[in-house]
Amino acid sequence: MVRLRAHDIAVSLDGFGTGEGQSLESPFGHAGGRLMTWFFPTRTFGAAIGRDGGTTGVDDAFAAQSWNGIGAEIMGRNKFAPLDRPWPDEAWRGWWGDEPPFRTPVIVLTHHPRSDLQVGETTFLFRDTSPEEALAEATELAGGLDVRLGGGPSTVREFLDADLVDHLHLVVAPIVLGRGVRIWDGQEGLEERFAIETTASPSGVVHHVFTRTR
Amino acid sequence: MVRLRAHDIAVSLDGFGTGEGQSLESPFGHAGGRLMTWFFPTRTFGAAIGRDGGTTGVDDAFAAQSWNGIGAEIMGRNKFAPLDRPWPDEAWRGWWGDEPPFRTPVIVLTHHPRSDLQVGETTFLFRDTSPEEALAEATELAGGLDVRLGGGPSTVREFLDADLVDHLHLVVAPIVLGRGVRIWDGQEGLEERFAIETTASPSGVVHHVFTRTR
């Protein structure tokens, strides 16, 4: 049974998954790196950027799971490039350099067409399609492994609205952002569809794991 | 140094401190008792309602602190009676029966005048005043002990806005309410004024303690 899993989805205490004013210079807007301060020191992130060592506690244990048994990813346009308009050209190849860490097919949901893009071992496929169709294609591409839902917050919400999410690892950072993109809008009663396990980390964040129960 | 302390302020994952549709029949609106399911089983709550026994874990440890060293309380009108209009008469004497658990002066912030009310060992004083003035009077009445900020969420917000809160014990319940009264509105950057300690409880809630650092 292929599962759709979201990992490392970080939000502020007031539920913003990214700040206001996203751009290529500030992918999290005014939030800067503050939603991810628990993540950057981990060994898992270190391995992704070629840095030796890193923390190996609960934050790393959760971060590492994101890379287990995944055969494809679905991400929102804003994760690939926060530009709310047609692509100016095809020069932008994502944030991740010559060898993005995905090393699988990645479906990028966008209303603006663009050619498929191979970067290292990762193929970005740009699709203007529904959550259901994106998941069907990603499942096909994943070859029996799970599909990662890569975010950002609007994309997670769309897949929750469509009740397609099996596993959601959500991290609450102890900051109040005040503005940005909310993750909880329209999610009233979410707890009725999920079992929720909660772990506080010494780093100050709280890890919530939502597992679909029906 | 007298401190202003708020305890047991419960909010949903999406930051609602009470649900929509508050009334005398439903003091938390559509949230019902769901924000307080961690609190009701505690020994502390049991003692307040004359029930023997109760849980004695982390939830109770936090609940018990609310009653240590408090000489007066300030609460919002909606905690005393969720009626957004002048008092129809003076028949309503609060939720707490003949012996309310406060046993101190309690300032009730309201725009509608009403006579002082003695119930058992508790005196309710109805005041149409600013947070600063309410705190000054409560401090006077507390006789050297601390002042409790009793909620609800709008009242906590007003006192945070005025930067009068020294200690805030906030409890996040694993539910998404979707509508009601938000606690975080206008609180961007709150973490810059407070140290925050976070503890997850086996009951599923998360206790956050905000301690003012400046």
Side-chain angles (χ1 to χ4, degrees):
Chain A
M1 174 73 187
V2 174
R3 292 180 304 156
L4 181 63
R5 296 159 35 194
H7 292 270
D8 309 330
I9 304 297
V11 303
S12 59
L13 280 169
D14 49 341
F16 292 100
T18 192
E20 200 174 67
Q22 284 185 285
S23 69
L24 289 181
E25 293 71 38
S26 302
F28 286 91
H30 83 290
R34 291 181 290 157
L35 289 169
M36 301 305 278
T37 52
W38 63 278
F39 178 73
F40 297 136
T42 62
R43 186 182 180 119
T44 295
F45 181 67
I49 61 168
R51 178 194 70 202
D52 278 342
T55 65
T56 54
V58 61
D59 294 336
D60 186 59
F62 278 109
Q65 292 192 67
S66 180
W67 301 96
N68 293 336
I70 295 290
E73 168 156 337
I74 301 169
M75 66 170 64
R77 156 75 183 256
N78 279 354
K79 180 171 171 180
F80 184 79
L83 291 171
D84 186 21
R85 56 180 189 275
W87 305 97
D89 55 51
E90 301 204 347
W92 180 259
R93 294 159 61 87
W95 312 95
W96 302 280
D98 292 337
E99 189 58 83
F102 309 102
R103 298 169 191 259
T104 67
V106 173
I107 293 178
V108 180
L109 293 171
T110 173
H111 298 306
H112 306 294
R114 183 171 157 163
S115 315
D116 296 352
L117 172 66
Q118 180 87 30
V119 187
E121 297 178 37
T122 299
T123 312
F124 295 99
L125 307 165
F126 300 87
R127 295 287 186 267
D128 184 4
T129 185
S130 68
E132 288 82 358
E133 288 171 346
L135 179 56
E137 182 175 1
T139 299
E140 185 73 24
L141 292 166
L145 298 176
D146 285 347
V147 176
R148 186 193 301 110
L149 180 60
S154 304
T155 302
V156 172
R157 251 199 286 114
E158 280 168 34
F159 281 77
L160 286 171
D161 289 345
D163 197 17
L164 297 174
V165 179
D166 297 298
H167 177 103
L168 167 61
H169 166 231
L170 189 128
V171 186
V172 179
I175 59 174
V176 180
L177 283 178
R179 51 212 160 92
V181 181
R182 292 183 191 275
I183 195 123
W184 299 120
D185 280 6
Q187 304 306 320
E188 180 179 342
L190 188 68
E191 69 278 5
E192 294 164 16
R193 294 188 275 135
F194 290 88
I196 308 176
E197 285 190 84
T198 299
T199 308
S201 164
S203 68
V205 302
V206 176
H207 298 272
H208 296 283
V209 177
F210 293 68
T211 307
R212 184 152 60 166
T213 53
R214 67 175 197 223
Chain B
M1 176 72 187
V2 173
R3 293 180 302 157
L4 181 64
R5 295 159 38 195
H7 292 271
D8 308 331
I9 305 297
V11 304
S12 59
L13 280 168
D14 49 343
F16 291 100
T18 193
E20 200 173 66
Q22 284 185 285
S23 68
L24 289 180
E25 293 71 39
S26 302
F28 287 91
H30 84 290
R34 291 181 290 156
L35 289 169
M36 300 305 278
T37 51
W38 63 278
F39 179 73
F40 298 136
T42 62
R43 185 181 181 118
T44 295
F45 181 67
I49 61 167
R51 179 194 71 204
D52 279 341
T55 65
T56 54
V58 63
D59 294 335
D60 185 59
F62 278 109
Q65 292 193 65
S66 181
W67 301 96
N68 293 336
I70 294 289
E73 168 156 336
I74 300 168
M75 66 170 64
R77 156 74 184 258
N78 280 354
K79 180 170 171 181
F80 184 79
L83 291 170
D84 187 20
R85 56 181 190 275
W87 305 98
D89 56 49
E90 302 205 347
W92 179 259
R93 294 159 60 86
W95 312 95
W96 302 281
D98 292 336
E99 190 57 83
F102 309 102
R103 299 171 191 256
T104 68
V106 173
I107 293 177
V108 180
L109 292 171
T110 172
H111 298 305
H112 305 295
R114 183 170 157 164
S115 316
D116 296 352
L117 172 67
Q118 180 86 32
V119 187
E121 298 177 35
T122 299
T123 311
F124 295 99
L125 306 166
F126 300 87
R127 296 287 186 267
D128 184 4
T129 186
S130 67
E132 288 81 358
E133 287 172 345
L135 179 57
E137 181 175 3
T139 300
E140 185 74 22
L141 292 166
L145 297 176
D146 284 347
V147 176
R148 186 192 300 109
L149 181 61
S154 304
T155 302
V156 172
R157 251 199 285 116
E158 281 168 35
F159 281 77
L160 287 171
D161 288 345
D163 197 17
L164 296 174
V165 178
D166 298 298
H167 177 104
L168 168 60
H169 166 232
L170 191 130
V171 186
V172 180
I175 59 175
V176 181
L177 283 178
R179 51 210 161 93
V181 181
R182 291 184 192 273
I183 196 120
W184 299 118
D185 280 5
Q187 303 307 321
E188 178 179 343
L190 189 68
E191 69 280 4
E192 294 165 16
R193 293 188 277 134
F194 289 88
I196 308 176
E197 285 189 84
T198 299
T199 309
S201 165
S203 68
V205 302
V206 176
H207 297 273
H208 295 283
V209 177
F210 293 68
T211 306
R212 182 149 65 162
T213 53
R214 67 176 198 224

